[in-house]
């Protein structure tokens, strides 16, 4: 039987690719801050609907938040805010596919951070799969394009942010010690999105009030970013609750398959032969992880 975290993670990757591609299209209308803010504020009602719907369907009881849970949500939420902003900045330096590829180094970063902070260990074959996947990411990012230091820093920083976000959310769900980890994950989604809206909103009210107003005046376009973000994050958080963070992040490299398709057919960006070679390595790495697990 396929472990439940596997289809959940693949679905998360699909939602994230769709949402990120939409954010890339809106980048000409929104600043980096506004593009990130709409992701959080418009995700809250969708996340709340998912939480209530799941609770009604399963008959479960929503866990009571404690200090460890709130700290994990706040830390993971802040890391995700930083990672999202850096990813959007990376798009500006190169293109959608390459910016996403750099951020996918989060798999190896998540393996290190989750080992240090959560004590999660992986079998040798899974570690080898992470290494092969990262090689594919680097090939996809660099082959025939040269190295752009600003793009590299933004992409690697985004990967670090997403890795830390995963560890923070995992620690939040563990702190609840509830019988249903998915219900804990959905509660973490609502709380984290609320905290992220407060964080980013306060920053923008101080530094970018015009961008804050734009997030509300352009709600017809922005609401779809939030909806896709909520669906994707629900799957991410559930995956983190059900499996080691590094495994979820490595399988999520399958997002690059979706990314290349979106890049070519939705954003009409040009792809190269090296993209296919990098993609093959990424798929091989994912298979090694699944076999090793």
């Amino acid at each position: 039987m396929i472990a439940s975290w596997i289809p959940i993670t693949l679905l998360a990757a699909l939602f994230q690719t769709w949402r990120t591609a939409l954010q890339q299209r809106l980048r000409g209308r929104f600043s980096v801050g506004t593009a990130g803010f709409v992701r959080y504020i418009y995700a809250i009602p969708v996340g709340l609907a998912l939480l209530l719907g799941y609770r009604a369907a399963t008959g479960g009881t929503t866990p009571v938040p404690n200090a460890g849970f709130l700290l994990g949500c706040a830390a993971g939420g802040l890391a995700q805010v930083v990672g999202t902003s850096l990813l959007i900045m990376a798009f500006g330096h190169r293109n959608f596919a390459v910016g996403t590829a750099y951020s996918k180094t989060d798999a190896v970063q998540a393996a290190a951070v989750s080992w240090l902070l959560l004590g999660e260990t992986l079998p040798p074959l899974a570690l080898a799969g992470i290494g092969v996947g990262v090689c594919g990411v680097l090939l996809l990012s660099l082959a025939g394009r040269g190295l752009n230091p600003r793009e590299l820093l933004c992409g690697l920083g985004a990967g670090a942010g997403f890795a830390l976000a995963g560890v923070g959310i995992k620690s939040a769900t563990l702190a609840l010690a509830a019988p249903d980890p998915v219900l804990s994950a959905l509660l973490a989604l609502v709380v984290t999105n609320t905290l992220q809206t407060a964080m980013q909103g306060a920053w923008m009210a101080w530094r970018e009030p015009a961008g804050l107003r734009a997030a509300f005046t352009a709600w017809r376009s922005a609401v779809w970013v939030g909806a896709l973000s909520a669906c994707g994050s629900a799957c991410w958080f559930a995956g983190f609750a059900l499996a080691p963070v590094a495994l979820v992040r490595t399988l999520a490299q399958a997002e690059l398959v979706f990314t290349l398709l979106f890049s070519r057919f939705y954003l009409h960006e040009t792809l190269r032969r090296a993209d296919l070679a990098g993609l093959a390595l990424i798929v091989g790495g994912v298979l090694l992880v699944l076999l090793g697990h």
Side-chain angles (χ1 to χ4, degrees):
M1 180 182 294
I2 297 177
S4 59
W5 68 272
I6 294 176
I8 288 173
T9 300
L10 291 175
L11 191 59
L14 177 59
F15 277 126
Q16 177 164 310
T17 306
W18 192 358
R19 184 261 302 164
T20 307
L22 183 56
Q23 277 187 305
Q24 168 72 333
R25 279 204 159 183
L26 294 176
R27 193 177 186 278
R29 298 175 54 189
F30 293 155
S31 67
V32 171
T34 304
F37 180 72
V38 299
R39 171 187 175 182
Y40 311 125
I41 189 168
Y42 293 115
I44 294 174
V46 178
L48 186 58
L50 291 172
L51 171 63
L52 296 177
Y54 181 84
R55 190 181 68 176
T58 60
T61 302
T62 305
V64 178
N66 53 36
F69 172 79
L70 294 175
L71 180 60
C73 288
L78 178 59
Q80 192 176 52
V81 167
V82 174
T84 298
S85 297
L86 289 172
L87 179 60
I88 296 171
M89 290 171 64
F91 294 158
H93 296 309
R94 191 67 65 88
N95 70 16
F96 174 63
V98 178
T100 300
Y102 276 129
S103 74
K104 289 293 102 182
T105 58
D106 66 346
V108 69
Q109 296 184 68
V113 175
S114 60
W115 173 66
L116 288 172
L117 299 182
L118 301 177
E120 291 184 343
T121 58
L122 298 176
L125 191 58
L127 291 173
I130 292 174
V132 171
V134 170
C135 289
V137 165
L138 294 177
L139 177 60
L140 183 63
S141 303
L142 299 177
R145 295 182 172 99
L147 180 63
N148 183 317
R150 292 185 65 186
E151 176 191 85
L152 177 64
L153 290 175
C154 287
L156 293 178
F162 296 144
L164 289 170
V167 172
I169 298 304
K170 175 84 172 189
S171 67
T173 58
L174 289 174
L176 290 178
D180 187 343
V182 175
L183 188 58
S184 298
L186 292 175
L187 176 62
L189 170 64
V190 175
V191 173
T192 301
N193 280 158
T194 302
L195 292 173
Q196 288 171 320
T197 299
M199 293 176 197
Q200 186 100 347
W203 169 262
M204 294 188 66
W206 177 43
R207 302 290 296 177
E208 196 183 340
L212 188 60
R213 290 192 295 271
F216 294 103
T217 56
W219 67 269
R220 288 180 178 83
S221 300
V223 69
W224 294 108
V225 173
L228 290 170
S229 175
C231 293
S233 292
C235 295
W236 285 128
F237 289 15
F240 296 146
L242 294 169
V245 176
L247 288 184
V248 174
R249 284 302 188 190
T250 302
L251 179 58
Q253 288 178 341
E255 176 190 349
L256 290 171
V257 177
F258 306 133
T259 296
L260 290 175
L261 294 174
F262 270 85
S263 179
R264 176 66 183 87
F265 298 107
Y266 184 65
L267 300 176
H268 306 293
E269 295 178 342
T270 301
L271 304 179
R272 306 184 183 204
R273 290 182 179 178
D275 294 333
L276 298 178
L279 183 60
L281 284 174
I282 291 168
V283 172
V286 168
L287 291 176
L288 285 175
V289 166
L290 295 178
L291 291 173
H293 179 65

